[in-house]
């Protein structure tokens, strides 16, 4: 944790990111993922819901580059449509989790005292429930409509983000310029957002990437178990689930969505792991 | 053992117990207090309000929440976890039957992955920067971000579809011969070990590298100790705590991993029971399974903490 705080660089130098080749590859994958999530439907060769072939679990062919699924739908179009749900839901959940986690973490660090202790204890105790288990329990209680799914996953990853933000912010809040701001009589909100926050953008961006990976994996797992995204919507995890019967024929329809998930998460990891001045912090 | 050690250990155990209490409150709250009426769910949309009220009373759902929580907790402590809403069997019986097969699976995975991962992690740290280290690094960072079900489906494709060595589903008759048993658990074990090993290698490597940077290692090397002696006599005894932590955290990934792997291979373990119960909203079973999982997690983490305390020579003499 200490190494992350020592590189408080001026914001300008951080904007000129010099990516090494591995990070470049990661960035390209992430960018492709975003483009597919936004424009996937426009790019897909067939209607993702249309049955285009009588051959179910078809092999890779010129007409169907990733084969056909259990109903004879084009797998490439299904995956392109699924990108929207996997990337979109995960990005939204991660953004919510990080907003809440960063807000609470900054607040705890700046206010300190017993507010800090109580918040830290409570959120730490939450992390002693394995994330998949907490998701299952919440889904059992709440059901799994899309908004609830997004909120559930956001809730699960708030403690991790809180812990990292707080650890970074506590150190920054002890710096002289924060002391000077306090002496000037600036409010808490000003100190949190204008003094402390700008000095931890780098590590927090890294954390966002890692947390996004966790959310993608959790979302895919839940959908794979039939407890995440529900039909007629389908993310990549649901695509694996609906085609699992094709596994014993070695159908590409089962493997390809799983490979898509792996490429996305590896891409984010490569990017995050090779950022200059990276700060990789552990967590669930 | 010094008194300080005993005090520290007692403190860890107390914290674990308090956390488990908190966790059970969260689990109970999430499954019982949130909207979504169990009685309504059982009877369906067309049930009359009287029928729903009657079932609520029969299930004891009309009692205040705190009272229900206390009696549920008391039941858990005395081994009575309630009755399954779906199969009408005692939850305890359901769980015991499944827990043993999950523990066997987890035991085999631990027995294979811990020695393998520690060897890989320590050697990678000792030869850090070498081609071997970088290969291990690339493989593990890629593997960490691969979902378990990709690993499991690839295992099925390779070993069941192409090589046809193993059955695609874990079918285990009640009186399985050792060979049948091995064939049934082989692929679940492989998939789980893969996930656990990658985590453990990364954390072990980091812990050992941290110790290798320390002044006493430099001192030992300057005195002319052989590399093997430096690692075995100086580095490892000082990293026991960190490595125990790495092992415990990685094994806790098993808890998430078994959920997927048991479902894919249709392995009759406790995770499969929990997933099935969640989709049927069988709350007593969901709650009990969640508590079992969290208790195992806390047991792992607390054991690692205690090992770290016991292995710390500075705490041995007060």
């Amino acid at each position: 944790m200490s190494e992350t705080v020592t590189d408080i660089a001026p914001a300008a130098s951080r904007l000129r990111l010099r990516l090494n080749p591995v990070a470049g590859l990661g960035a390209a994958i992430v960018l492709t993922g975003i483009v597919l999530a936004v424009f996937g439907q426009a790019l897909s060769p067939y209607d993702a819901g249309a049955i285009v072939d009588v051959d179910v679990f078809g092999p890779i062919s010129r007409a169907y580059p990733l084969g056909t699924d259990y109903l004879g739908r084009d797998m490439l179009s299904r995956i392109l449509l699924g990108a929207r749900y996997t990337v979109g839901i995960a990005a939204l959940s991660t953004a919510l989790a990080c907003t809440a986690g960063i807000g609470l973490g900054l607040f705890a660090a700046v206010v300190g005292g017993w507010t800090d202790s109580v918040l830290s204890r409570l959120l730490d105790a939450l992390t002693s429930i394995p994330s998949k288990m907490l998701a299952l329990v919440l889904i059992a209680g709440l059901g799994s409509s899309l908004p609830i799914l997004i909120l559930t996953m956001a809730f699960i990853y708030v403690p991790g983000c809180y812990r990292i933000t707080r650890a970074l912010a506590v150190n920054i809040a002890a710096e002289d310029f924060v002391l000077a701001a306090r002496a000037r009589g600036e409010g808490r909100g000003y100190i949190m957002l204008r003094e402390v926050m700008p000095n931890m953008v780098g590590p927090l961006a890294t954390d966002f990437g890692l947390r996004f990976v966790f959310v993608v994996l959790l979302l895919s797992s839940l959908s794979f178990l039939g407890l995440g995204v529900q039909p007629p919507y389908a993310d990549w995890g649901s695509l694996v689930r609906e085609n699992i019967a094709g596994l014993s024929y070695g159908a590409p329809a089962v493997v390809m969505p799983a490979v898509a998930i792996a490429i996305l998460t590896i891409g984010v990891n490569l990017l995050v792991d090779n950022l200059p001045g990276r700060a990789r912090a552990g967590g669930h | 053992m010094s008194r300080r050690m005993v005090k520290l250990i007692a403190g860890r155990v107390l914290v674990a117990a308090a956390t488990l209490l908190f966790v059970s409150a969260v689990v109970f709250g999430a499954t019982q207090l949130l909207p979504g009426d169990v009685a309504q769910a059982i009877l369906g949309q067309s049930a009359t309000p009287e029928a729903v009220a009657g079932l609520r009373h029969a299930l004891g759902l009309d009692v205040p929440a705190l009272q229900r929580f206390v009696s549920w907790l008391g039941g858990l402590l005395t081994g009575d976890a309630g009755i399954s809403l779906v199969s009408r069997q005692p939850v305890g019986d359901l769980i015991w039957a499944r827990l043993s097969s999950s523990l066997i699976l987890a035991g085999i995975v631990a027995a294979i992955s811990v020695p393998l991962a520690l060897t890989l992690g320590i050697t990678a740290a000792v030869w850090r920067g070498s081609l071997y280290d970088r290969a291990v690094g690339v493989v593990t960072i890629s593997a960490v971000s691969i979902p378990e079900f990709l690993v499991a489906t690839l295992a099925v494709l390779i070993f069941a579809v192409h090589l046809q060595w193993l059955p695609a589903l874990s079918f285990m008759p009640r009186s399985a011969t050792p060979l049948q048993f091995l064939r049934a658990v082989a692929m679940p074990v492989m998939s789980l070990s893969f996930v656990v090993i990658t985590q453990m290698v990364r954390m072990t490597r980091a812990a050992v590298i941290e110790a290798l940077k320390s002044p006493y290692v430099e001192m030992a090397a300057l005195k002319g100790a052989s590399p093997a002696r430096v690692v075995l006599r100086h580095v490892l005894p000082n990293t026991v705590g960190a490595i125990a932590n790495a092992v415990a955290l990685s094994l806790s990934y098993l808890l998430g991993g078994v959920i997927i792997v048991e479902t894919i291979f249709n392995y009759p373990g406790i995770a499969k029971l929990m997933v099935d119960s969640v989709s049927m909203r069988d709350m007593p079973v969901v709650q009990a399974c969640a508590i079992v999982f969290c208790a195992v997690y806390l047991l792992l983490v607390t054991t690692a903490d205690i090992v770290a305390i016991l292995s710390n020579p500075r705490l041995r003499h007060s």
Side-chain angles (χ1 to χ4, degrees), chain B residues 68-248:
Chain B
R68 256 158 56 208
F69 175 62
V70 171
S71 69
W72 173 70
L73 204 61
L76 273 189
L77 290 176
T78 53
D80 170 25
I83 304 282
S84 158
L85 298 179
V86 175
S87 69
R88 314 299 312 168
Q89 277 178 302
V91 175
D93 295 358
L94 284 175
I95 287 189
W96 279 122
R98 300 295 199 95
L99 186 61
S100 55
S101 30
S102 284
L103 285 180
I104 291 173
L105 187 59
I108 300 175
V109 172
I112 293 175
S113 54
V114 172
L116 198 58
L118 292 189
T119 313
L120 281 172
I122 293 169
T123 46
V126 171
W127 294 310
R128 66 184 178 286
S130 69
L131 194 65
Y132 167 74
D133 176 36
R134 270 182 287 169
V136 170
V138 169
V139 170
T140 50
I141 189 145
S142 314
V144 162
S145 38
I146 292 178
E148 293 100 345
F149 51 84
L150 178 60
V151 180
T153 43
L154 287 181
V156 172
L157 278 186
I158 295 170
F159 295 104
V161 178
H162 286 291
L163 298 174
Q164 301 198 329
W165 287 355
L166 297 165
L169 289 180
S170 292
F171 171 69
M172 217 184 336
R174 203 162 274 280
S175 55
T177 63
L179 185 67
Q180 275 176 318
F181 175 76
L182 269 185
R183 284 168 62 87
V185 296
M187 276 198 291
V189 165
M190 270 192 281
S191 318
L192 282 173
S193 304
F194 185 80
V195 177
V196 175
I197 286 174
T198 51
Q199 291 284 354
M200 218 183 295
V201 169
R202 284 175 66 89
M203 287 194 263
T204 308
R205 180 181 173 277
V208 173
I209 285 186
E210 196 59 38
L212 281 172
K213 282 188 203 151
S214 57
Y216 59 78
V217 167
E218 202 182 346
M219 181 69 187
L222 288 175
K223 281 198 304 190
S226 71
R229 190 181 159 82
V230 169
V231 171
L232 293 177
R233 288 279 302 157
H234 297 269
V235 172
L236 285 187
N238 283 294
T239 45
V240 168
I243 290 182
N245 236 313
V247 170

Side-chain angles (χ1 to χ4, degrees), chain A residues 22-277:
Chain A
V22 182
L25 176 66
I29 293 174
V30 172
L31 214 62
T32 314
I34 295 172
V35 168
L36 291 185
V38 179
F39 302 107
Q41 254 184 323
L43 298 170
S44 66
Y46 303 91
D47 179 359
I51 295 173
V52 290
D53 197 7
V54 287
D55 205 12
V56 298
F57 292 130
I60 291 171
S61 63
R62 183 159 297 177
Y64 312 111
L66 298 181
T68 57
D69 78 348
Y70 74 115
L71 290 175
R73 294 176 290 193
D74 175 45
M75 213 46 221
L76 176 60
S77 310
R78 302 280 300 159
I79 288 181
L80 287 175
L81 181 67
R84 161 176 308 181
Y85 294 101
T86 297
V87 178
I89 293 175
L92 207 56
S93 292
T94 317
L96 283 174
C98 286
T99 312
I102 291 172
L104 287 172
L106 276 174
F107 182 72
V110 171
V111 175
W114 65 268
T115 319
D116 180 22
S117 325
V118 170
L119 262 179
S120 300
R121 280 287 150 77
L122 276 182
L123 290 170
D124 260 358
L126 268 185
T127 55
S128 60
I129 311 179
S131 52
K132 272 199 196 101
M133 200 57 49
L134 186 53
L136 288 184
V137 168
L138 288 172
I139 285 170
L142 292 164
S144 60
S145 64
L146 275 189
I148 288 179
L149 192 62
I150 292 172
L151 287 176
T152 301
M153 291 196 298
F155 176 73
I156 290 171
Y157 288 105
V158 168
C161 191
Y162 166 84
R163 189 189 284 181
I164 286 168
T165 310
R166 186 190 160 277
L168 290 168
V170 160
N171 282 317
I172 298 171
E175 298 269 337
D176 287 343
F177 59 86
V178 178
L179 215 64
R182 282 190 207 270
R184 285 203 307 274
E186 303 286 4
R188 270 180 198 152
Y190 179 92
I191 292 178
M192 278 162 61
L193 294 177
R194 300 302 302 264
E195 300 286 345
V196 180
M197 182 70 185
N199 287 298
M200 41 188 223
V201 171
L204 286 184
T206 310
D207 179 61
F208 183 89
L210 288 177
R211 222 151 288 284
F212 177 79
V213 170
F214 295 141
V215 175
V216 167
L217 292 177
L218 179 64
L219 171 68
S220 315
S221 303
L222 289 175
S223 294
F224 171 76
L225 296 172
L227 303 170
V229 179
Q230 301 293 325
Y233 313 118
D235 69 332
W236 289 340
S238 330
L239 291 181
V240 178
R241 175 185 176 79
E242 60 184 31
N243 292 307
I244 196 75
L247 186 59
S248 40
Y249 318 119
V254 202
V255 186
M256 290 307 169
V259 170
I261 298 166
I263 292 177
L264 177 66
T265 51
I266 291 174
V268 175
N269 253 323
L270 289 180
L271 174 63
V272 161
D273 226 45
N274 292 286
L275 282 178

